[in-house]
Amino acid sequence: MASNRKAAMGFIFLTLLVDVTGLGLIIPVLPKLIEELVHGDISTAAKYGGWLTFAYAIMQFLFAPVLGNLSDKYGRRPVLLFSLFGFGMDYIFLSFAPTIIWLFVGRIIAGITGASFTTATAYIADISAPADRAKNFGMVGAAFGIGFIVGPVIGGLLGQYGARVPFYFAACLTLLNWLYGYFVLPESLPIENRRSFEWKRANPFGAFRQLKKYPAVGALAISFFLVYMAAQAVQSTWAFFNIEKFKWSEKIVGLSLGAVGLLVGLVQGLLIRYINPKIGNEKSIYIGFGLYAIGLILFAFASQGWMMFVFLVPYCLGGISGPALQSIITGHVPSNEQGELQGALTSLISATSILSPVIMTSLFSYYTSAGTSVYFPGAPFLLGSFLMFAAGILAYRVLSKEKASGLTVQ
């Protein structure tokens, strides 16, 4: 059984790694492609970038619970393969987009089918012993980290030959990943642990109502929501911020994201395996949130481009908090509801991707536009730090109350 679990983790790790590498490929060149299609400057492109994220996120918000519940009924494997195929189609649309409308169509397709993160986390919950749960969730972060080493660096280099070249490469890579998964990815959810599909639970609002059955889960989910709202400050504006303030090229943007990936991979793939068992999930959450907030403040006030690389260290060390928080939330829910739980959490992430990118890119656009009275491109990072502090305070209140009642879940 232990060897089967280890092999399954290898399969899911490699599947996510290739999936994230495809996503990372396009990040350095997306601002340039948007500029070409809208015939505007970087400030205008940032606005469109926020709305593209909005289009993807609102579709995922609506459809992630459907796919999560389907995975509880039919298993994780078919849903994950469906998701990977949808991402491949998205990259094909982006590759040949003649107008900005085509970019939106591609993002909508990806949002409807995009359940790779939802299904992968449910898959990990299926095969993980309680003591290994945070460590195995850390492997998801490690896959994202390594993917963001390889993807953005290759994307930045390929982007020198044209803004569309990384999209062609991403489409090929993702569809090859789909083929790989079709032939080698095993099923993780036994038939006896499956449950029937219910439409009343297969929507974001129904899924959120189900969280009320577990009061601590519902409260911690709000903290989870605030963390992802804050993280969007970096995800939505990193390329725009550094192009605007430090005049970075696509190549430097790609290298910086590669540095992010390296640090995330080290933290979540290696460091968390030693830190989490020593200090536990609760302290990992508090320390991680604090490091995230410090990193965001440092980004906001950076005055030289090299500082952004240095300040990535405390920010990425904050990654010890994510798997710990997810481990505690997952530990409250039985195995035949893990797909539903992960679908609900993905809908929360999608909700932050609906709200936060528009807020963050609008803040960036306002404080960098020609008519602004205060030039402060770091405004989104500062807002993100406030949200991260709020998430930490809420998690502390929930976990302290649970501890006082004598009920703790690791």
Side-chain angles (χ1 to χ4, degrees):
M1 179 65 72
S3 62
N4 289 340
R5 286 179 176 177
K6 187 174 181 180
M9 274 302 303
F11 286 134
I12 204 70
F13 174 80
L14 188 56
T15 298
L16 280 174
L17 173 61
V18 178
D19 191 26
V20 175
T21 299
L23 178 62
L25 276 163
I26 70 172
I27 293 176
V29 295
L30 189 59
K32 184 177 179 180
L33 181 59
I34 296 173
E35 282 186 85
E36 289 180 6
L37 294 177
V38 302
H39 307 291
D41 59 13
I42 193 70
S43 182
T44 303
K47 285 185 179 180
Y48 278 96
W51 286 110
L52 281 167
T53 304
F54 176 90
Y56 170 81
I58 198 166
M59 290 297 103
Q60 193 165 75
F61 175 76
L62 295 172
F63 285 92
V66 176
L67 296 175
N69 276 265
L70 285 172
S71 79
D72 282 341
K73 177 175 174 60
Y74 296 107
R76 316 303 184 200
R77 183 178 184 275
V79 175
L80 185 57
L81 293 176
F82 175 70
S83 170
L84 295 176
F85 186 78
F87 272 120
M89 293 300 100
D90 169 42
Y91 294 136
I92 289 174
F93 268 87
L94 298 181
S95 299
F96 297 101
T99 67
I100 192 70
I101 296 299
W102 279 57
L103 293 189
F104 280 96
V105 172
R107 291 281 77 192
I108 287 169
I109 292 172
I112 292 171
T113 62
S116 57
F117 179 80
T118 300
T119 315
T121 49
Y123 193 111
I124 290 169
D126 292 339
I127 65 174
S128 297
D132 295 330
R133 200 177 288 129
K135 177 178 68 177
N136 288 343
F137 279 131
M139 292 304 293
V140 176
F144 274 75
I146 296 171
F148 271 97
I149 297 170
V150 178
V153 172
I154 296 175
L157 294 173
L158 291 177
Q160 298 177 87
Y161 302 101
R164 297 176 188 270
V165 174
F167 293 90
Y168 303 143
F169 194 89
C172 294
L173 191 65
T174 304
L175 291 175
L176 285 172
N177 186 30
W178 170 69
L179 284 174
Y180 164 80
Y182 180 82
F183 287 108
V184 302
L185 187 68
E187 179 55 64
S188 65
L189 185 65
I191 293 175
E192 61 270 19
N193 288 343
R194 299 180 189 183
R195 63 176 178 83
S196 60
F197 180 87
E198 300 176 54
W199 278 108
K200 67 180 181 180
R201 297 170 68 169
N203 65 81
F205 306 105
F208 295 157
R209 282 195 294 271
Q210 286 299 114
L211 296 180
K212 292 182 180 179
K213 293 194 303 182
Y214 314 100
V217 171
L220 288 173
I222 298 173
S223 180
F224 187 84
F225 174 83
L226 291 174
V227 169
Y228 276 87
M229 283 288 288
Q232 283 290 344
V234 176
Q235 296 171 22
S236 301
T237 67
W238 181 264
F240 297 108
F241 173 86
N242 288 301
I243 290 171
E244 165 66 22
K245 187 164 185 179
F246 303 121
K247 311 303 178 189
W248 283 6
S249 65
E250 291 89 348
K251 180 179 178 179
I252 300 300
V253 171
L255 291 172
S256 72
L257 292 170
V260 173
L262 176 62
L263 290 168
V264 170
L266 289 173
V267 169
Q268 301 212 8
L270 295 176
L271 184 62
I272 197 170
R273 292 173 172 266
Y274 299 99
I275 294 295
N276 185 269
K278 291 182 181 298
I279 66 175
N281 285 332
E282 188 174 349
K283 288 183 179 178
S284 294
I285 290 170
Y286 304 147
I287 294 171
F289 285 178
L291 288 167
Y292 269 143
I294 291 169
L296 286 163
I297 292 171
L298 292 172
F299 289 153
F301 294 100
S303 58
Q304 300 290 330
W306 62 265
M307 293 180 178
M308 300 300 288
F309 285 87
V310 175
F311 297 158
L312 282 172
V313 175
Y315 180 79
C316 291
L317 284 172
I320 64 172
S321 61
L325 179 60
Q326 194 155 9
S327 176
I328 289 177
I329 293 173
T330 302
H332 286 81
V333 178
S335 60
N336 67 350
E337 296 181 18
Q338 285 296 327
E340 180 180 38
L341 170 65
Q342 302 305 332
L345 294 179
T346 300
S347 282
L348 280 177
I349 296 171
S350 299
T352 68
S353 298
I354 293 168
L355 300 171
S356 193
V358 174
I359 294 170
M360 300 303 181
T361 55
S362 295
L363 263 180
F364 174 83
S365 181
Y366 176 80
Y367 284 105
T368 59
S369 62
T372 186
S373 57
V374 178
Y375 179 78
F376 184 40
F381 299 139
L382 191 59
L383 175 59
S385 70
F386 293 146
L387 293 172
M388 199 66 74
F389 277 124
I393 292 169
L394 179 59
Y396 176 78
R397 292 182 63 182
V398 173
L399 295 175
S400 296
K401 183 177 179 181
E402 192 172 64
K403 187 186 295 184
S405 68
L407 176 64
T408 57
V409 177
Q410 294 298 316

